[in-house]
Every structure is written in structure tokens, then in C-alpha cells.
Amino acid sequence: MQTPDPFPRTNLLLSLGCIVFALVAVFLWIPMDSGSGLILKVRRQVNIGDALAPTIAATVIGLGGVMVFFQRRAPNAGGISLRNLGSVAYLLAICGVSFALMRWTGPVVAWIAGGITGEALDYRLLRDTAPWKYLGFVLGGWVLVSALIGWIEGRITARGLIVGALASLALALLYGVPFDHLLLPPNGDV
């Protein structure tokens, strides 16, 4: 009987690919492609630079690669099956619904509030003010995180819903409060 490989080749290639991508992105691609640094300080006002979000994303990918590299006894994924494709379709559906909520919650709530109050509320003018700028981001993020937790656990739980709500609120506050002029996604495109 042959002993299983403690570090399958597929996982090795995946981990090294993620690490190399992250290093190239952080040290070459992002600095050459962005117009500013990570954080800008202009006239005593601190703003997020063009390079911050992609640098954080590349760093997370690199950390994931490091984690996979040091993980032992991981099963070899093998090839692509219908079950794999179904999982990808389910993941895309979760992301699609969450991103639609992020994009349309603010404008729909502004339209409903305008109908109730009789005022002509234009979401485009409200999108940089609280609570309007948080509506779509928090609701869409809550659905995204809660649905992914439920998918991983095999059922939706109160704990997963609470974690999803707290995670999306924490991200909204982390980016929305210290940077006054930052438009949370997708408000810049509305």
C-alpha cells in the first residue's frame, strides 16, 4: 500500500502561484499602475490612496498561498467534476445576489423614502451621507458573509447571521468613518 503524499502537487502549485502573484502585484504591478500610494495626506486630510485596496487584496491572496503551503495532509483536488462546477455556480449566485443588493439597496430605499415623504430624494446626492452610504454595503455584505458561512456549515444559523452582520458593519465603519470622502462600494458607480 502506497502512503499518500503529504503535500500534493496541485496544492504546491496553487500555493506557489498565489505567493508569486501576490509578490509581483504588491512590488511591481500595483506601484507601477496606481497614481498614488497607499494613503494620501493632503492639507491635513487623510484619504485612501489608489494602491491601498489592491495591495490589501494581493496581501490576502499571498497569505492564503502561505497557509496552503504550510498545510499538510491536504487532499489532492484531482480534476474538475460536475459537483465542482455546481459549487462554482452556487458561489457565483451568492455573489451575484449580494452585489445586486449592494448596488440597488440605496437607490431603492431612497425612492421608497421619497414616495413616503413626498420629497424628491436623489440617491446620487445622498450617497456620501450617513446612513445612505452604508445601506447597500452593509446589507449586501451581510448577505454575502452569512450565505458563505451557511454554505460552509451546511445550514443557516443565528451565529452565522450575527457574524455576517458584524463583519459587514465592521468593514463599513473601518473604511467609512476615518475617510470622510470615501464612497463605499458601489456608491462611486451610482
Side-chain angles (χ1 to χ4, degrees), residues 147-178:
L148 291 175
I149 290 172
W151 182 29
I152 290 168
E153 291 181 344
R155 60 192 168 96
I156 299 292
T157 62
R159 186 180 61 81
L161 293 171
I162 291 169
V163 168
L166 292 177
S168 64
L169 278 172
L171 281 175
L173 294 175
L174 179 69
Y175 284 106
V177 171

Side-chain angles (χ1 to χ4, degrees), residues 18-145:
C18 288
I19 293 168
V20 168
F21 172 80
L23 291 173
V24 168
V26 168
F27 294 110
L28 294 175
W29 180 16
I30 296 169
M32 290 172 45
D33 194 37
S34 63
S36 64
L38 299 176
I39 295 178
L40 295 174
K41 191 170 185 179
V42 178
R43 295 185 208 142
R44 292 178 286 165
Q45 185 176 12
V46 178
N47 291 318
I48 291 178
D50 294 340
L52 183 64
T55 301
I56 290 172
T59 302
V60 169
I61 291 171
L63 290 174
V66 169
M67 289 171 59
V68 170
F69 183 81
F70 287 110
Q71 180 182 5
R72 300 294 183 206
R73 295 192 182 119
N76 195 353
I80 295 176
S81 68
L82 285 177
R83 184 174 178 176
N84 299 135
L85 295 176
S87 294
V88 170
Y90 191 70
L91 176 65
L92 291 175
I94 290 172
C95 291
V97 168
S98 300
F99 295 155
L101 286 170
M102 282 185 183
R103 169 64 177 86
W104 292 105
T105 298
V108 168
V109 171
W111 178 74
I112 292 170
I116 292 171
T117 63
E119 296 180 38
L121 295 178
D122 183 12
Y123 182 73
R124 193 161 179 76
L125 299 175
L126 299 171
R127 66 185 176 163
D128 193 25
T129 60
W132 301 100
K133 71 179 185 177
Y134 298 109
L135 292 176
F137 185 83
V138 171
L139 181 62
W142 175 59
V143 169
L144 178 67
V145 173

